[in-house]
Amino acid sequence: MKDVLLIALFAFGGAACAGVLGAVALRLVRHRSVAVSLAVVGAVTVTAMLAGTLAVAWAMFLSPHDLTVVTLVVAMAAAVSLATALLLGRWVVARSRDLTRAARDFGKDGSFAAPPARATAELAELGRELAATSARLSASRERERALETSRRELVAWMSHDLRTPLAGLRAMAEALEDGVAADPGRYHRQIRTEVERLDSMVGDLFELSRIHAGALELSPSRFSLRDLAADALLGAGPVARERGVRLFGEDIAHVPVDVDGKEMTRVLANLLVNAIRHTPADGTVAVAVDRRADAAVLSVTDGCGGIPEEDLPRVFDTGWRGSPARTPPAGAGLGLAIVRGIVEAHAGRAEVRNVPGGCRFEVTLPLAATTAG
């Protein structure tokens, strides 16, 4: 037992010396190629085995012939190990360079394609992550381009929509100032109407800017969607009667939700006004509330005749109005964008789809906490 411990001590001493030298060498080449590091690791492994073997052989007083044989065997193993380490290092370096070139192209044109050659698991994982990042960046660029297009359209439409009432206000003010207005009272009422329209447009812009800036502060409370829908129908009644549109809200279930009452009232008002505006006279607009699984769904169905399929994905975009030739009374194209922003701030979603004779806007909201089970 004593001999075994002595042999183990000599072998450990020789291998430890080689290991210390190897650690120093690895520290010196830590900024060099991985091939050099692998070669050093292979050399350290074989040198440690050689040093331990020689130390034990010296301690055991082997004959010169036996010592030569042991040294030769270890030397051959060292040569094979170093060659294997160098080949592996060159292969890893080649795959790393392929990945570097692909990443360089990623920086130039914004798209990444993983190298076709097989690589180590770590390099392959890095390639997959770069490909996923490239896909996310591409989607982000597409969203940015779409947002920029919407902004340009919004600026153009808002400029047109503001210019018309401002020109009318100027003309009426000049007529009143010159005393040539045949009916000053009518002019005053018209001026008030135009100012209210401008105030509404500015309010919509302010609300939308808060939504985009993430500054929309909600104060949720427990409400029944039935009560919110009933209030919205009551408020939209005069507009519907003026345009000859019938409102229906008979299929409204009592579904509790935790929402900001003021903001959700604005959502329902925007949806109803939009539906009434695009429904012809003697048409109908129906409001329904239902519960689906763990969500509450409020829908507004109009008689607009449907939206072209290619336009459906853009309905909730900022500034979208369906046609660039829409006149100012059709609005600035902000109402539905505000609807989506407020609904998403409540962790819900807003959707639209065509139905026979028109389209249906649906707002899906989480159920109130006590009823979600």
Side-chain angles (χ1 to χ4, degrees):
M1 186 66 181
K2 183 178 179 181
D3 293 340
V4 173
L5 291 176
L6 189 62
I7 290 172
L9 182 62
F10 274 101
F12 176 77
C17 292
V20 171
L21 293 176
V24 173
L26 283 175
R27 181 173 178 80
L28 293 175
V29 301
R30 64 185 183 276
H31 299 304
R32 302 290 297 276
S33 170
V34 67
V36 177
S37 298
L38 286 174
V40 172
V41 170
V44 169
T45 302
V46 176
T47 302
M49 182 176 64
L50 177 60
T53 302
L54 291 178
V56 173
W58 176 79
M60 294 176 63
F61 302 102
L62 293 180
S63 65
H65 177 268
D66 293 341
L67 185 59
T68 301
V69 171
V70 171
T71 303
L72 184 61
V73 170
V74 174
M76 292 300 100
V80 173
S81 298
L82 287 175
T84 302
L86 288 173
L87 289 175
L88 176 61
R90 288 174 61 86
W91 181 78
V92 172
V93 168
R95 301 291 79 76
S96 299
R97 288 174 177 169
D98 291 341
L99 193 59
T100 300
R101 284 192 292 269
R104 189 180 299 118
D105 294 337
F106 180 23
K108 289 179 180 179
D109 58 20
S111 60
F112 177 82
R118 296 178 62 85
T120 63
E122 293 77 10
L123 291 178
E125 179 65 22
L126 177 58
R128 287 191 292 270
E129 288 298 325
L130 286 173
T133 301
S134 175
R136 288 193 294 269
L137 287 175
S138 296
S140 178
R141 284 192 295 270
E142 288 297 326
R143 288 194 298 269
E144 183 65 27
R145 281 193 288 266
L147 182 59
E148 184 61 29
T149 300
S150 296
R151 286 172 178 168
R152 287 196 298 267
E153 293 176 351
L154 176 61
V155 170
W157 284 332
M158 289 298 296
S159 299
H160 175 271
D161 290 354
L162 289 172
R163 187 181 298 115
T164 301
L166 287 174
L169 287 171
R170 175 183 294 178
M172 287 184 287
E174 290 175 352
L176 290 171
E177 186 178 21
D178 296 339
V180 298
D183 186 357
R186 184 173 67 85
Y187 275 57
H188 287 139
R189 289 191 295 273
Q190 186 62 29
I191 288 175
R192 181 181 180 85
T193 300
E194 295 297 337
V195 169
E196 289 176 350
R197 278 185 52 209
L198 291 174
D199 181 69
S200 177
M201 292 170 63
V202 172
D204 284 347
L205 282 173
F206 179 69
E207 182 78 0
L208 196 62
S209 67
R210 286 201 305 157
I211 291 172
H212 286 170
L216 183 64
E217 297 182 358
L218 301 177
S219 300
S221 300
R222 182 65 50 84
F223 287 94
S224 169
L225 274 183
R226 180 172 61 187
D227 296 337
L228 292 175
D231 292 343
L233 285 168
L234 186 64
V239 180
R241 286 191 295 271
E242 180 183 354
R243 300 182 66 92
V245 175
R246 297 187 300 274
L247 295 179
F248 287 93
E250 299 176 356
D251 187 17
I252 301 182
H254 169 70
V255 183
V257 289
D258 292 326
V259 297
D260 186 304
K262 178 182 176 182
E263 298 297 341
M264 196 52 58
T265 297
R266 181 164 194 163
V267 166
L268 299 179
N270 283 359
L271 288 176
L272 279 172
V273 170
N274 179 75
I276 293 169
R277 180 182 296 145
H278 294 94
T279 298
D282 203 33
T284 60
V285 171
V287 177
V289 175
D290 196 8
R291 179 184 303 193
R292 299 178 188 171
D294 58 347
V297 180
L298 182 144
S299 63
V300 177
T301 306
D302 60 34
C304 68
I307 299 173
E309 291 295 330
E310 62 272 14
D311 286 341
L312 283 176
R314 297 194 57 205
V315 167
F316 293 99
D317 289 352
T318 302
W320 185 86
R321 295 191 290 187
S323 170
R326 295 287 285 275
T327 56
L334 305 182
L336 293 180
I338 291 173
V339 166
R340 179 173 64 180
I342 294 175
V343 170
E344 290 181 351
H346 284 85
R349 64 180 185 275
E351 301 169 306
V352 60
R353 68 175 186 271
N354 285 323
V355 296
C359 59
R360 177 175 297 154
F361 288 83
E362 290 187 350
V363 171
T364 304
L365 297 168
L367 288 175
T370 57
T371 62

